C-alpha cells in the first residue's frame, strides 16, 4: 500500500467496521471497566457518555473530514489544509502520541496471548478468586514472560502493517466484530446470573455524584478519546481510505455507538462478576484479568472443557480486537515516517517496531522489577498512560475541534459532511456549534479544573 495510490475500503460497511476495529479494543474491555471501577462506577459512566456525545462524535467527524479531504497521513493532512502554518504540530503530536500508546498497549496485548495459553492448557481449572489475583500478579511481575509476549504481539502487528492492511483489516473486522459482540453478550448473561451479581449492577447504574471531582472528569474525558481512537489522527488516517460517497456523520455515529455498546457490555460482565466473587472494582489494570477467569470458572467450572473453550475463545477475540487497534496505531506512525522522511515502508515499519520494543520492554519491567522507579508517583507504564490518554489525546482533540470549527473553510467542511450536497444534514448547525464552542470550552474546562492551569 502506498499513499500516492490510495486504496479504499471496499464497502460502506467495511469502512464502518474498520474504523470500529480501531476503536474497539483493550480500551473498551480492559481500560473502561477499571477506569469506571476506580472512579466510582455509574457517575463516571454518565460523564463518559456525555464526553462521547459532546466531544467524541463531533471530533470524529472532524478527523474524518480532515482525512478524507486531504487524502494523506495525519501530519501531511494539516500541511495540505493549512500550508505554512503551525497546525502541522497537531499532526506531529498525534504521531508521537501514537508511538507512546503503541508501546504500552502492546504490553497489555501481550498479556492476552499468555491468557490464551493459560486457559487452553487448563491452568484455570480448580482455581478460586485469590488464585487468580496471585496468578496475575506473578505474571505481570515476571521480568521475562510478559516482555516476550509484548515483543511477539508487536511482531505480528509489524508483519500485517508491512504486508498492507486494507483487505486484512476490512475482512477480519467484518468477521470478528460480530463474533466478539456475541461472545460478550453470552458472557454478560452468565455474569448477571452469578449469585451476588446485583451489587455490580447497582454500581453500574446508581450514580453517586459526591465522588465526582476534577480527576474523575479528566479520566472520563481521556477514556472517551482513548476508546474512540481520537485526538491523534488515527481516524483521520483511516478516513483517507474512505470513498467519496461514504457518509461521514453517519459513520462517526455508528462507530461511536458500537464502541460505547462494547464498553458497556464489558462493564456488565466485569462488575457483576467482581462483586459476585468479592473482588474490589477499584483494583486497577488487573481487573479484567482477574475477574474474567473467575466468571468462566464459576459459571462453567463443572464442565471444564466448556470453561476452557469459552475462555480461550474470549482471549483470542480480545487479542484480535487489540490487534486491529495496534495495527491502526502502527499505521499512523509508519505512514508518517515513510512519507515525510522518504524511508521505504519496510524500513519505516522496522523503526516503529524497534522503538516500541524498547519502550514496551521498559513499560513491562516497570510493573515488576522496575516498580520502584517512579516519576510523579507513577511507574513508566502509568506515566505513558497518563501522558497520552489524559494529556495528549484531549489536547489533540481540542486543536482538531478548533481547526475544523474555526480555521477550516466552512464550505469545505459542509461539502465533506454532506458529500457535496448529496446528503441531507439537518444537524449541520449543531455539529458546527459543538466543534466551535462546546468541545473546546468543555475540554479546556476539564483541563483547567484538574491540572490547575489557572
Ligand atoms: N481505541 C483503541 C481501544 O479502545 C485503542 C486505539 C487505537 C487508540 N488507536 C488509537 C487510542 C488512537 C488512542 C488513539 O483499544
Amino acid at each position: 500500500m502506498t499513499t500516492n495510490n490510495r486504496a479504499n475500503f471496499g464497502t460502506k460497511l467495511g469502512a464502518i467496521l474498520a474504523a470500529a476495529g480501531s476503536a474497539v479494543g483493550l480500551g473498551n474491555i480492559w481500560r473502561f471497566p477499571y477506569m469506571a471501577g476506580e472512579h466510582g462506577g455509574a457517575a463516571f459512566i454518565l460523564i463518559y457518555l456525555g464526553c462521547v456525545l459532546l466531544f467524541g462524535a463531533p471530533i470524529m467527524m472532524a478527523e474524518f473530514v480532515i482525512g478524507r479531504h486531504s487524502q494523506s497521513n495525519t501530519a501531511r493532512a494539516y500541511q495540505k489544509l493549512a500550508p505554512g502554518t503551525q497546525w502541522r504540530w497537531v499532526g506531529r503530536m498525534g504521531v508521537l502520541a501514537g508511538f507512546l500508546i503503541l508501546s504500552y498497549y502492546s504490553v497489555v496485548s501481550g498479556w492476552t496471548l499468555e491468557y490464551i495459553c493459560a486457559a487452553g492448557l487448563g491452568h484455570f481449572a480448580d482455581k478460586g478468586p485469590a488464585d487468580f489475583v496471585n496468578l496475575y500478579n506473578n505474571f505481570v511481575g515476571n521480568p521475562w514472560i510478559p516482555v516476550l509476549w509484548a515483543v511477539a504481539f508487536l511482531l505480528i502487528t509489524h508483519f500485517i502493517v508491512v504486508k498492507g492492511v486494507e483487505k486484512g483489516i476490512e475482512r477480519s473486522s467484518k468477521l470478528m466484530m460480530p463474533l466478539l459482540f456475541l461472545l460478550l453478550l453470552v458472557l454478560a448473561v452468565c455474569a448477571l446470573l452469578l449469585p451476588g451479581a446485583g451489587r455490580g449492577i447497582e454500581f453500574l447504574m446508581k450514580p453517586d455524584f459526591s465522588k465526582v471531582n476534577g480527576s474523575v472528569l479528566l479520566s472520563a474525558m481521556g477514556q472517551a478519546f482513548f476508546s474512540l481512537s481520537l485526538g491523534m489522527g488515527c481516524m483521520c488516517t483511516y478516513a483517507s481510505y474512505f470513498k467519496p460517497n461514504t457518509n461521514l456523520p453517519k459513520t462517526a455515529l455508528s462507530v461511536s455507538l458500537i464502541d460505547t455498546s462494547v464498553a458497556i457490555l464489558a462493564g456488565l460482565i466485569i462488575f457483576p462478576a467482581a462483586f459476585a466473587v468479592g473482588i474490589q472494582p477499584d483494583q486497577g489494570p488487573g481487573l479484567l484479568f482477574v475477574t474474567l477467569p473467575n466468571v468462566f470458572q464459576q459459571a462453567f467450572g463443572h464442565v471444564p472443557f466448556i470453561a476452557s473453550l469459552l475462555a480461550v475463545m474470549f482471549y483470542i477475540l480480545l487479542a484480535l480486537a487489540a490487534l486491529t487497534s495496534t495495527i491502526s496505531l502502527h499505521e499512523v506512525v509508519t505512514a508518517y515516517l515513510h512519507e515525510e522522511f522518504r524511508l521505504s515502508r519496510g524500513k519505516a515499519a522496522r523503526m516503529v517496531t524497534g522503538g516500541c520494543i524498547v519502550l514496551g520492554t521498559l513499560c513491562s519491567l516497570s510493573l515488576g522489577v522496575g516498580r520502584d522507579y517512579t516519576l510523579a508517583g507513577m511507574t513508566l507504564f502509568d506515566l505513558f498512560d497518563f501522558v497520552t490518554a489524559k494529556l495528549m489525546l484531549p489536547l489533540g482533540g481540542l486543536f482538531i475541534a478548533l481547526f475544523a470549527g474555526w480555521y477550516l473553510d466552512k464550505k469545505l467542511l459542509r461539502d465533506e459532511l454532506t458529500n457535496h450536497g448529496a446528503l441531507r444534514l439537518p444537524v449541520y448547525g449543531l455539529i458546527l456549534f459543538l466543534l466551535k464552542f462546546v468541545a473546546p470550552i468543555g475540554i479546556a474546562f476539564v483541563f483547567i479544573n484538574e491540572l490547575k492551569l489557572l
Side-chain angles (χ1 to χ4, degrees), residues 33-229:
Y34 90 73
M35 280 282 150
E38 278 180 347
H39 294 103
F44 173 93
I45 295 177
L46 281 178
I47 298 169
Y48 172 79
L49 293 177
C51 291
V52 169
L53 275 178
L54 296 179
F55 312 159
I59 290 176
M60 192 181 296
M61 291 176 203
E63 285 207 27
F64 281 172
V65 167
I66 296 168
R68 189 175 65 180
H69 189 84
S70 64
Q71 297 279 302
S72 28
N73 79 67
T74 180
R76 178 71 57 91
Y78 291 91
Q79 276 165 23
K80 274 194 180 167
L81 289 170
T85 64
Q86 301 300 324
W87 285 106
R88 62 180 183 277
W89 287 101
V90 178
R92 289 181 184 164
M93 184 178 78
V95 173
L96 178 64
F99 182 63
L100 297 178
I101 294 174
L102 183 57
S103 300
Y104 84 90
Y105 199 94
S106 308
V107 174
V108 185
S109 305
W111 299 351
T112 64
L113 300 180
E114 165 79 13
Y115 273 66
I116 294 173
C117 296
L121 294 172
H123 291 178
F124 293 167
D126 307 322
K127 295 243 165 36
D131 302 318
F132 289 119
V133 177
N134 288 337
L135 206 74
Y136 169 79
N137 286 336
N138 290 340
F139 167 62
V140 298
N142 184 296
W144 290 106
I145 305 172
V147 172
L148 292 178
W149 283 128
V151 172
F153 207 91
L154 274 166
L155 292 178
I156 299 171
T157 308
H158 176 93
F159 181 74
I160 298 175
V161 170
V162 169
K163 281 266 170 225
V165 288
E166 286 95 6
K167 282 231 165 71
I169 295 182
E170 184 175 345
R171 215 179 278 156
S172 61
S173 308
K174 271 186 182 160
L175 185 73
M176 275 163 37
M177 301 302 294
L179 203 60
L180 182 71
F181 209 74
L182 196 74
L183 203 62
L184 284 171
L185 265 182
V186 172
L187 286 175
V189 172
C190 296
L192 291 171
L193 291 177
L194 292 175
R199 284 189 48 218
I201 315 247
E202 199 171 302
F203 185 74
L204 262 176
M205 304 285 170
K206 270 208 188 142
D208 173 3
F209 286 105
S210 66
K211 298 229 172 70
V212 175
N213 55 25
S215 152
V216 175
L217 290 178
L218 184 63
S219 300
M221 181 169 85
Q223 174 61 25
F225 281 102
F226 188 91
S227 189
L228 295 170
S229 302

Side-chain angles (χ1 to χ4, degrees), residues 9-28:
F9 290 123
T11 60
K12 287 181 192 167
L13 182 68
I16 293 179
L17 288 179
S22 166
V24 174
L26 298 173
N28 309 61

Side-chain angles (χ1 to χ4, degrees), residues 234-275:
C234 207
M235 288 301 172
C236 171
T237 307
Y238 269 29
S240 68
Y241 307 125
F242 286 178
K243 287 189 170 167
N245 67 355
T246 302
N247 183 334
L248 299 186
K250 201 165 141 203
T251 306
L253 283 183
S254 311
V255 172
S256 307
L257 192 72
I258 295 175
D259 190 71
T260 307
S261 330
V262 173
I264 301 281
L265 261 182
L268 278 176
I269 298 172
I270 286 162
F271 294 115
F275 280 103

